[in-house]
Amino acid sequence: MITDQAPWTEWNVSRETMARLQKFEDILRKWNPRINLVSSASLDNLWSRHIADSIQVYKCVPHAGHWLDLGSGGGFPGLIAAILAAEDAPDLRFTLVESDQRKAAFLRNAAREAGIRCDIRASRIETLPPRGADIVSARAVADLAVLLGYASRHLSRDGFAIFPKGETWEKEVSAAQEKWQFRYAAITSVTDSKAVILKIEGASLV
């Protein structure tokens, strides 16, 4: 069971990585009253609700190439993935995209304080030049049909998208299939048995 304030042994990460995650938590709690990075209702469950969700996204993908995270907001999953990769996969490059200037400033500050190197782009997703990424992620940004449009613009030929989705994920998949052809795997979430992580490849318009 995922619990809040879990010890580093339960999360299967090193002490150094856990220290970085705790530094991230400190910074988020400091900034959150000013710019609402996460809802106040979920702040008490920050580890089980947000950080664990991002850790499982990271564990679903191969750790090589270029990872593009869209609508990064409070750093989920992109900055958490970058923290994990700093020790686990140091050659994995990260670009985090966030149009809100205040949230982009938070991401820069959190990355710097946690000792993480990643490219923070304060830009709208729609205007970002194609990135040729190997991995594209997004959490709570848009419905699947919209996300596939973003992903197809920014993925490399052999890249794939990874999207956490809630209990209505099957409806989103069905709706997206009216416009898109794609292959997908639905991985059951460890934080919510009704939710999944969608891993998607080969998206193209019907």
Side-chain angles (χ1 to χ4, degrees):
M1 178 180 177
I2 299 297
T3 57
D4 255 64
Q5 298 300 328
W8 66 275
T9 50
E10 181 175 338
W11 293 84
N12 193 30
V13 299
S14 70
R15 291 182 183 274
E16 181 181 358
T17 296
M18 180 54 74
R20 283 185 166 125
L21 291 171
Q22 290 171 331
K23 172 63 72 173
F24 167 83
E25 177 191 13
D26 292 343
I27 298 165
L28 185 142
R29 289 184 181 277
K30 178 180 178 180
W31 282 63
N32 201 63
R34 290 181 283 165
I35 60 175
N36 195 35
L37 296 160
V38 300
S39 70
S40 57
S42 70
L43 190 59
D44 288 341
N45 301 312
L46 179 65
W47 284 84
S48 57
R49 177 81 176 271
H50 299 292
I51 295 177
D53 211 32
S54 299
I55 290 174
Q56 70 173 335
V57 170
Y58 175 78
K59 291 181 179 294
C60 285
V61 302
H63 302 147
H66 179 203
W67 185 320
L68 176 68
D69 187 53
L70 303 176
S72 298
F76 311 111
L79 191 54
I80 298 300
I83 288 172
L84 295 172
E87 186 175 5
D88 184 53
D91 292 333
L92 180 57
R93 296 183 296 113
F94 284 84
T95 300
L96 277 56
V97 182
E98 174 53 54
S99 62
D100 186 310
Q101 295 288 339
R102 298 174 305 162
K103 292 180 179 179
F106 159 76
L107 291 168
R108 292 190 185 99
N109 182 264
R112 182 173 61 252
E113 291 293 321
I116 300 302
R117 291 185 300 172
C118 54
D119 183 14
I120 312 296
R121 298 284 174 145
S123 169
R124 291 188 60 82
I125 298 169
E126 298 88 344
T127 62
L128 186 73
R131 309 304 293 180
D134 302 287
I135 304 161
V136 169
S137 62
R139 181 176 183 261
V141 170
D143 64 35
L144 184 58
V146 173
L147 289 176
L148 289 174
Y150 297 154
S152 65
R153 172 178 170 83
H154 292 294
L155 278 172
S156 65
R157 181 185 298 274
D158 298 321
F160 61 87
I162 190 91
F163 301 135
K165 285 294 178 181
E167 61 183 280
T168 62
W169 69 270
E170 290 176 296
K171 292 182 179 179
E172 287 198 46
V173 168
S174 294
Q177 287 172 330
E178 295 179 5
K179 298 180 179 179
W180 295 91
Q181 292 180 339
F182 54 93
R183 302 183 302 278
Y184 75 94
I187 304 162
T188 302
S189 171
V190 300
T191 60
D192 181 351
S193 61
K194 296 180 180 179
V196 299
I197 311 298
L198 291 177
K199 185 175 178 180
I200 295 174
E201 298 176 278
S204 61
L205 286 168
V206 173

